[in-house]
Amino acid sequence: MERLHLGEFEELVLLTVGVLYEEAYAVAITKEIAEQSKRSVNVSAVHKSLYRLEEKGMLKSALGEAESKRGGKRKRIFSITPVGKKALDESLELRNKLRSQIPDIAFKWQIS
């Protein structure tokens, strides 16, 4: 079976959807990624990744309940699918496999 490919930012988005679980909507995902990664994140980039991951079958979404503080607008809540979990598992496995093959000598630097 073909390996499921995830870009670095897609992986961050997918992981964050899992972290936020029932609160995984675009603005919350954007804030969480920015907080956890200590980097600037654009909500439109998150939106693009969410919909791309949904097209790949790694996420699914549903509209949440309407909120009066949002003028009745409903949030689109995302959740990980079995395909998304498989992609995360494969990504972690590959990273761990590669990391375990780096010889200790590669991390010994000589300061001159």
Side-chain angles (χ1 to χ4, degrees), residues 10-112:
E10 286 180 325
E11 186 176 1
L12 280 177
V13 169
L14 196 54
L15 287 165
T16 306
V17 167
V19 168
L20 294 175
Y21 189 53
E22 292 180 340
E23 294 297 318
Y25 59 96
V27 172
I29 293 166
T30 303
K31 289 179 182 177
E32 188 70 17
I33 291 172
E35 185 177 302
Q36 294 269 358
S37 68
K38 306 290 188 240
R39 69 189 214 191
S40 177
V41 181
N42 186 313
V43 72
S44 63
V46 170
H47 271 288
K48 187 174 180 179
S49 290
L50 287 168
Y51 292 119
R52 188 170 47 243
L53 289 165
E54 194 168 26
E55 287 174 11
K56 291 179 176 182
M58 296 180 191
L59 291 177
K60 64 181 180 176
S61 68
L63 290 175
E65 296 298 316
E67 295 182 20
S68 59
K69 68 180 179 181
R70 291 175 43 91
K73 190 172 180 185
R74 299 162 69 185
K75 295 175 185 172
R76 180 162 295 281
I77 307 296
F78 291 85
S79 58
I80 298 174
T81 66
V83 174
K85 182 189 182 306
K86 184 173 180 355
L88 286 174
D89 290 346
E90 287 179 2
S91 179
L92 180 61
E93 185 180 321
L94 176 60
R95 287 173 187 260
N96 287 337
K97 179 181 170 185
L98 288 168
R99 175 61 177 86
S100 71
Q101 293 177 53
I102 299 172
D104 288 341
I105 191 79
F107 295 124
K108 293 186 178 173
W109 299 276
Q110 291 183 356
I111 300 174
S112 23

